[in-house]
Amino acid sequence: MGKMPLWADAVLVPLFSLLLAAIVSALVIMGIGENPIEAFNLMVDGALKRSDGWGFTLYYTTNYIFTGLAVAVAFHARLFNIGGEGQAMLGGVGVALACLYIPWPHWTVALIGTSLFAAAFGAAWAYVPAILQAKRGSHIVITTIMFNYIAFSVLAYLLVEVLRPAGSMDPASATFPEATHLPSFHDMFAPEGSRLFRSAPANVSFFLALAACVGVWLLIWRTRLGYEIRSFGHSETAAKYAGISPVKITVIAMLISGGLAGMMAINTTMGESERLVLNFTEQAGFVGIAVALMGRNHPVGILVAALLFGFLQQGGAELALWTSIPRELIVVIQALVILFTGALDNMVRMPLERVFLALGKKEAN
C-alpha cells in the first residue's frame, strides 16, 4: 500500500476534520458558559427527533444541495464560482416572473417551467464573469463576488420599484397564483388529520434537488462534456493539446453552475414563501462552497454535507430559541467546519497519509 486509498480520502479525512471542528466548537460553547453536550442534544432533538425538525432540516438541505452542486461543477473545471448567492437571486427573479406573468394550469407544469426560468436566469448571471475569465483573463473569484453585490441591488430595485404591489410597503412581490404553489411534505405524506410535517417548509423541490445530484453525476462522470470539464480542470495545457477549447469549457461549466445555483430559488421562493422577498437566499450561496468542499465535489458527498449543514442550521435555530447561546454561534460552527474541511485539510490528510504509508511498508516487508 503506497498511498492513502480512495475510501480513506473520501471518508476518513472529512470525518476527522469534522471531529476537530466539533471539539473546537465544544470549547467555544464551554467558553460562553454553556454545556456542549446539552447543546448538542438540543440540536439533535430540534433537528432530527420531530417531523417538523426533519422538515426544516430537509428544507435547508435542498438549498445547500443546489448551491453545493453549482460550486462543484465549476470546480471540476478549476473555476471557483463564488457567485452562487447572486445567481440564486437572479434565479428567484426568474421564478417570480414566470409565476406572476404566465398562467400555469397546474403546479407540475409550473415546476418544469419555473425550473427552466430559474436555471436560465442564474446561468445568464454567470455568463458575464465566465466570458470575462475565458476571453480577458479576469479572475472569476473577483468578478463573481462583485456580481453578488450587483445582484442584490438589482433584486432590491425590482422588489421596491417594479414587482411590489400598489399600496404595499413590504419590499416583496405579490403572492403567486395558487396553481403554482408546490405541495409541501405535509400535503404529500401526512394522512388526513395528521400533524406530520405540519409547519415544516420542506416541499417537492427536495426531490428535484436529488434529481439534480443524479444529473450532475451523469454529466461529470458519464458524458464527453464531463470528461472535457474534468480534463480541463486537471491540466489546461493537456486539454488544449487534446483539442479541448478552454473558452468553451469555461463558459459551459459556469453556465451549468449558474443554472444550478439559480434553481435553489425554487425551494425558497416558490415552495416556501410563495412570493419573491429580499434575502430569500439566506446565505445558501456561500454555504454551498463549504458543502462542495466537504463533499469532495461529488454529488453523494454533497448530499451528505448538505444534510449536515441543514442539521446545523435547524439545530442552531433551536439553540437560539431555548438557550442563551446566540444564533450567530452556528455561523462560528459552520466557519470551523469550513476551516477544518477546507483550509486545514492537510492537517488531517498528511498524518493519515503517513499512517497508510507506514502500513504499506509493513505489508511489503
Side-chain angles (χ1 to χ4, degrees), residues 75-91:
F75 200 75
H76 279 293
R78 199 163 287 184
L79 298 166
F80 197 15
N81 178 19
I82 208 168
E85 191 78 5
Q87 291 145 19
M89 289 180 196
L90 266 291

Side-chain angles (χ1 to χ4, degrees), residues 62-67 69-70 84 87-92 94-95 111-123 182 203 205-213 216 255-271 280:
T62 305
N63 293 340
Y64 302 150
I65 289 174
F66 279 120
T67 54
L69 290 174
Q87 291 145 19
M89 289 180 196
L90 266 291
V95 171
L111 180 60
I112 297 170
T114 53
S115 297
L116 294 175
F117 268 79
F121 274 65
L182 298 181
N203 58 77
S205 61
F206 174 71
F207 301 104
L208 190 64
L210 295 182
C213 287
V216 167
L255 289 178
I256 296 170
S257 177
L260 287 165
M263 289 177 70
M264 186 228 89
I266 296 169
N267 183 42
T268 52
T269 302
M270 193 175 170
F280 72 88

Side-chain angles (χ1 to χ4, degrees), residues 320-333:
L321 185 63
W322 301 110
T323 70
S324 60
I325 297 175
R327 188 184 177 89
E328 286 73 20
L329 182 71
I330 206 63
V331 179
V332 175
I333 296 174

Side-chain angles (χ1 to χ4, degrees), residues 127-138:
Y127 177 74
V128 178
I131 205 71
L132 286 174
Q133 163 85 26
K135 295 278 191 181
R136 300 291 178 189
S138 304

Side-chain angles (χ1 to χ4, degrees), residues 35-81:
N35 186 327
I37 296 175
E38 288 180 9
F40 180 72
N41 287 337
L42 190 57
M43 290 177 72
V44 171
D45 184 63
L48 303 177
K49 288 189 176 177
R50 290 179 276 115
S51 66
D52 283 354
W54 268 107
F56 276 94
T57 299
L58 293 178
Y59 166 74
Y60 296 124
T61 299
T62 305
N63 293 340
Y64 302 150
I65 289 174
F66 279 120
T67 54
L69 290 174
V71 174
V73 169
F75 200 75
H76 279 293
R78 199 163 287 184
L79 298 166
F80 197 15
N81 178 19

Side-chain angles (χ1 to χ4, degrees), residues 211-244:
C213 287
V214 177
V216 167
W217 180 79
L218 290 172
L219 169 71
I220 297 296
W221 280 279
R222 288 294 183 271
T223 66
R224 178 175 177 174
L225 175 61
Y227 176 77
E228 290 179 344
I229 289 174
R230 285 186 290 131
S231 300
F232 179 75
H234 282 295
S235 172
E236 182 177 346
T237 306
K240 279 183 185 174
Y241 187 74
I244 297 170

Side-chain angles (χ1 to χ4, degrees), residues 92-101 155-177 180-181 268-270 273-280:
V93 173
V95 171
L97 294 178
C99 288
L100 290 171
Y101 297 109
L155 179 64
Y157 170 79
L158 289 174
L159 288 178
V160 173
E161 302 291 343
V162 180
L163 296 174
R164 181 164 57 98
S168 171
M169 297 298 289
D170 187 15
S173 74
T175 302
F176 299 157
T180 65
H181 293 181
T268 52
T269 302
M270 193 175 170
S273 63
E274 296 172 345
R275 59 179 186 151
L276 184 64
V277 298
L278 271 177
N279 299 319
F280 72 88

